[in-house]
Amino acid sequence: MYRLLFSFLILSLISCKNEVPKTNLLPKIKIIKRAPITEGKILKIDTTLYADFESPVLTTFYKSYANETVWQSSKTRKIILTELTLATQEGLNPEDYQVKKLTQIEKKFSLLSDKEMVSYDLLLTYNLQKYIKHISQGKLNPKTLYEDWELSPRQTDVNKILFNTYKSTDFAASIDSCKPQHIVYKRLKKALELINSYPEDTLRKIAFEAKIIPNDTNAALLKIKQRLLYWKDLKARDSLTNIYDAKTVVAVKKFQTRHGLAADGIIGKGTVAALNFSKKQRKQQIIANLERWKWFQHNLGKQYIIVNIPDYTLHVVNENDTVRTHKVIVGSAKRKTPILTSKLSYAVFNPTWTVPPTIIKEDVIPATIKNKNYLAEKNITVYDGNGNVVEAADWKVSRAKGYRYVQSPGTYNSLGMVKIIFPNRFSVYLHDTNHRDYFDKTFRSLSSGCVRVENPLDLTAYLLNDTIQYSKDKIAEILKSEKTQSVKINTPTYLYLWYWTAWSDNDKLIFRDDIYQLDEDLYKKLR
């Protein structure tokens, strides 16, 4: 028995000797030295209370302050409560931050026991941290909502912000700096302020039956005029009639302009649909757009291109100044233009077009089955898996999806005379088009995902920024050669294909058609 015990002891010692000691993987937390307090008292926190919040960020924050309370200043607490109460101005819900409960506790602060003060301190920090995260990167994560959104996730260092805020002499300004500072976000906040100033909307829906043109008489005009009066496009008058008079035509044109419709004064289906939006729906639309802008990158760079998909507009911005604006054609609801952030790489003059799989399946194959001359008419060359040309007579439906289809450069090329490339996983780019008449349309959600640009050669010349090698005359010579030529874009230029359907301009509400039907669903998820 003694020998057995001795052997067991030896084995235990050997195994202990060979065991690799575990290292402490937790980062060492630096204790922040605070200035002497002038109000209240600092209390020790029972660290077991952290478990109630299940928040590592909160735990780290208090460990940095030696597990002691931090909100002794009544002025600072008031700023925090005011900020949380006004979360509605950012499109957020104050109840997400327990505002009512916090306000009630604050009212009786002087009567709180030490234990209650500790609990209140923790609760205040927890909700402030949540709020800072929401205003700086959004409440929801677009990666989990959309497959065709490629946005770099924003990662907010809440404690870093809070440490700096705590030390700041202007606590409110420090919190405000966390919010998006882009002009569109500020105009969205103004839009929310404007919509809140409107009275309750009790107007009934307008039934659309037929177009109404100036001087028409129509019973629906009474409701239409009431809506125009409500939205302040029509000035108040003593009596409303069912005649489409000149003053109402002017009001309708104003309304159409604000909603991105053809400002022709003709009351059609689109105008009636926009008129039928209630105040509640428009407010929810603004809130959805405020959330979306929190997802977007805050620092856009010195020079960038920003495309608002529902507005069918491309802007080139250099040092915060819009230097160029172009109309664009974007993806249809069936083949959406993806929302993404990238950087321009190069331009291609006289591009070939390799037809993407979706268009092969849905367009090219059906068209070729109907008309064997379709491929020749479109200047499309077909290649098999070995790179051999497949003649029209040898083209087989059974192998059609495995072929590669390449359209030659020229005036019939779907990409037109130039395309601008940027890295992305969707194989989309900016390009010219052989259907330039489409830019005259108001509704331009017509492409297969890429963004077609009006006057793309002017845009390309600007981006290349080389008046010697790539002047307009030199570019014209390259195009005449019909030879494909790639040119690197040397000036760092970022690209943002983004989506927003509401904003304000000069104290006027601006809306666009939600072409991909995203706003209502996003608002529901927010609330």
Side-chain angles (χ1 to χ4, degrees):
M1 178 64 72
Y2 286 117
R3 287 179 182 174
L4 187 62
L5 286 170
F6 181 75
S7 300
F8 180 75
L9 180 61
I10 294 297
L11 286 170
S12 299
L13 288 170
I14 293 169
S15 63
C16 290
K17 199 180 236 185
N18 291 337
E19 186 179 343
V20 177
K22 292 181 180 178
T23 55
N24 184 9
L25 298 177
L26 292 173
K28 189 176 180 181
I29 294 173
K30 183 181 178 182
I31 303 299
I32 297 171
K33 189 177 180 180
R34 290 193 266 182
I37 63 168
T38 57
E39 182 184 355
K41 56 184 176 180
I42 295 174
L43 299 169
K44 272 290 179 184
I45 298 171
D46 179 355
T47 57
T48 61
L49 295 174
Y50 299 151
D52 296 338
F53 295 91
E54 297 181 346
S55 171
V57 180
L58 179 127
T59 303
T60 302
F61 177 78
Y62 278 104
K63 283 185 176 180
S64 298
Y65 287 106
N67 296 312
E68 295 174 339
T69 55
V70 294
W71 307 119
Q72 284 77 35
S73 166
S74 56
K75 181 183 176 182
T76 302
R77 294 196 307 272
K78 185 179 178 182
I79 291 171
I80 295 170
L81 289 173
T82 301
E83 189 70 39
L84 298 181
T85 303
L86 297 178
T88 50
Q89 295 180 356
E90 310 299 325
L92 298 168
N93 184 1
E95 288 313 301
D96 285 344
Y97 317 106
Q98 299 175 273
V99 169
K100 286 182 181 177
K101 182 177 181 179
L102 292 170
T103 304
Q104 287 169 356
I105 298 172
E106 180 62 33
K107 285 178 181 177
K108 55 180 183 180
F109 185 83
S110 61
L111 303 175
L112 298 179
S113 66
D114 286 359
K115 185 178 179 181
E116 288 170 331
M117 282 187 181
V118 168
S119 295
Y120 179 44
D121 207 273
L122 290 167
L123 199 63
L124 207 56
T125 301
Y126 177 75
N127 284 288
L128 179 58
Q129 286 178 329
K130 188 197 292 188
Y131 174 73
I132 288 173
K133 184 178 179 181
H134 288 176
I135 60 170
S136 57
Q137 68 180 56
K139 181 178 175 181
L140 303 175
N141 182 356
K143 286 276 189 182
T144 63
L145 298 178
Y146 311 112
E147 291 181 359
D148 57 345
W149 285 51
E150 191 68 27
L151 295 175
S152 301
R154 295 185 52 75
Q155 297 295 333
T156 304
D157 189 338
V158 173
N159 278 341
K160 184 178 179 182
I161 292 168
L162 206 47
F163 293 147
N164 292 335
T165 301
Y166 188 80
K167 290 186 292 183
S168 174
T169 54
D170 193 338
F171 196 93
S174 185
I175 293 178
D176 196 64
S177 67
C178 304
K179 304 166 187 174
Q181 301 300 316
H182 195 277
I183 186 65
V184 175
Y185 184 80
K186 291 179 178 179
R187 286 177 176 175
L188 269 165
K189 286 179 66 174
K190 181 63 178 178
L192 188 58
E193 181 187 329
L194 288 170
I195 201 90
N196 283 331
S197 71
Y198 282 77
E200 186 182 353
D201 179 3
T202 58
L203 300 173
R204 291 178 293 171
K205 293 262 185 180
I206 305 161
F208 177 76
E209 294 176 359
K211 287 182 180 179
I212 304 173
I213 61 173
N215 300 317
D216 273 0
T217 300
N218 192 302
L221 279 162
L222 291 172
K223 289 182 181 176
I224 290 169
K225 289 178 181 181
Q226 286 171 345
R227 287 259 167 204
L228 292 169
L229 281 167
Y230 179 83
W231 291 115
K232 301 178 184 178
D233 293 299
L234 182 64
K235 291 183 179 179
R237 56 178 69 181
D238 295 331
S239 61
L240 298 178
T241 68
N242 58 6
I243 300 170
Y244 192 16
D245 55 81
K247 287 185 178 179
T248 309
V249 172
V250 172
V252 166
K253 287 181 178 180
K254 284 182 184 177
F255 180 87
Q256 289 171 329
T257 300
R258 288 195 304 106
H259 292 77
L261 302 166
D264 54 12
I266 297 171
I267 303 172
K269 192 175 180 180
T271 301
V272 171
L275 282 165
N276 275 331
F277 268 77
S278 66
K279 173 190 172 180
K280 181 181 178 182
Q281 287 174 304
R282 288 304 189 194
K283 182 175 177 177
Q284 291 176 355
Q285 186 177 5
I286 292 167
I287 289 170
N289 278 274
L290 279 165
E291 171 69 7
R292 206 173 279 137
W293 262 92
K294 294 183 187 82
W295 300 339
F296 295 153
Q297 197 165 318
H298 289 194
N299 182 10
L300 304 186
K302 181 181 175 182
Q303 177 164 290
Y304 61 89
I305 289 175
I306 189 166
V307 176
N308 183 8
I309 294 169
D311 191 39
Y312 312 121
T313 308
L314 177 154
H315 297 286
V316 181
V317 181
N318 189 305
E319 294 186 338
N320 297 319
D321 183 27
T322 300
V323 294
R324 300 192 64 84
T325 299
H326 295 254
K327 289 181 180 179
V328 296
I329 293 167
V330 300
S332 64
K334 187 179 178 183
R335 299 174 183 172
K336 300 178 180 69
T337 294
I339 281 69
L340 59 83
T341 294
S342 190
K343 186 179 179 183
L344 301 188
S345 300
Y346 58 95
V348 181
F349 294 111
N350 296 318
T352 59
W353 180 45
T354 300
V355 187
T358 302
I359 298 178
I360 292 171
K361 178 185 173 184
E362 297 180 6
D363 297 340
V364 173
I365 294 174
T368 307
I369 291 171
K370 288 180 183 177
N371 174 15
K372 286 288 184 183
N373 294 321
Y374 171 82
L375 295 169
E377 290 169 1
K378 296 292 182 181
N379 289 327
I380 294 175
T381 304
V382 183
Y383 298 91
D384 64 18
N386 296 318
N388 301 313
V389 174
V390 178
E391 301 296 340
D394 299 324
W395 185 89
K396 291 181 172 57
V397 178
S398 59
R399 298 181 184 175
K401 290 181 184 177
Y403 295 143
R404 184 163 58 93
Y405 300 78
V406 181
Q407 190 175 43
S408 303
T411 54
Y412 291 99
N413 189 284
S414 295
L415 305 185
M417 310 305 288
V418 66
K419 67 177 178 179
I420 299 170
I421 303 298
F422 46 90
N424 68 92
R425 66 182 175 89
F426 305 99
S427 300
V428 297
Y429 31 82
L430 308 177
H431 67 88
D432 186 15
T433 177
N434 57 352
H435 290 289
R436 297 184 181 90
D437 54 312
Y438 286 2
F439 290 108
D440 294 330
K441 296 177 181 287
T442 303
F443 180 85
R444 296 196 294 276
S445 178
L446 304 167
S447 83
S448 296
C450 288
V451 177
R452 305 175 195 171
V453 183
E454 187 178 40
N455 301 323
L457 294 174
D458 293 344
L459 173 63
T460 307
Y462 172 84
L463 293 171
L464 294 176
N465 193 26
D466 187 339
T467 54
I468 298 173
Q469 281 191 292
Y470 299 105
S471 64
K472 287 187 178 180
D473 290 341
K474 291 287 185 181
I475 289 173
E477 288 178 21
I478 294 169
L479 297 177
K480 283 179 186 176
S481 74
E482 293 194 359
K483 292 180 180 179
T484 302
Q485 182 174 333
S486 297
V487 184
K488 186 181 178 182
I489 296 172
N490 291 314
T491 303
T493 306
Y494 296 90
L495 175 76
Y496 305 102
L497 300 182
W498 288 352
Y499 190 100
W500 69 97
T501 60
W503 63 97
S504 66
D505 189 16
N506 293 323
D507 290 341
K508 291 180 181 177
L509 290 167
I510 310 293
F511 296 103
R512 291 294 180 264
D513 188 22
D514 181 16
I515 55 176
Y516 296 161
Q517 299 297 301
L518 300 178
D519 291 339
E520 186 178 351
D521 180 65
L522 177 55
Y523 178 81
K524 286 177 181 176
K525 286 182 168 66
L526 274 173
R527 291 297 185 259

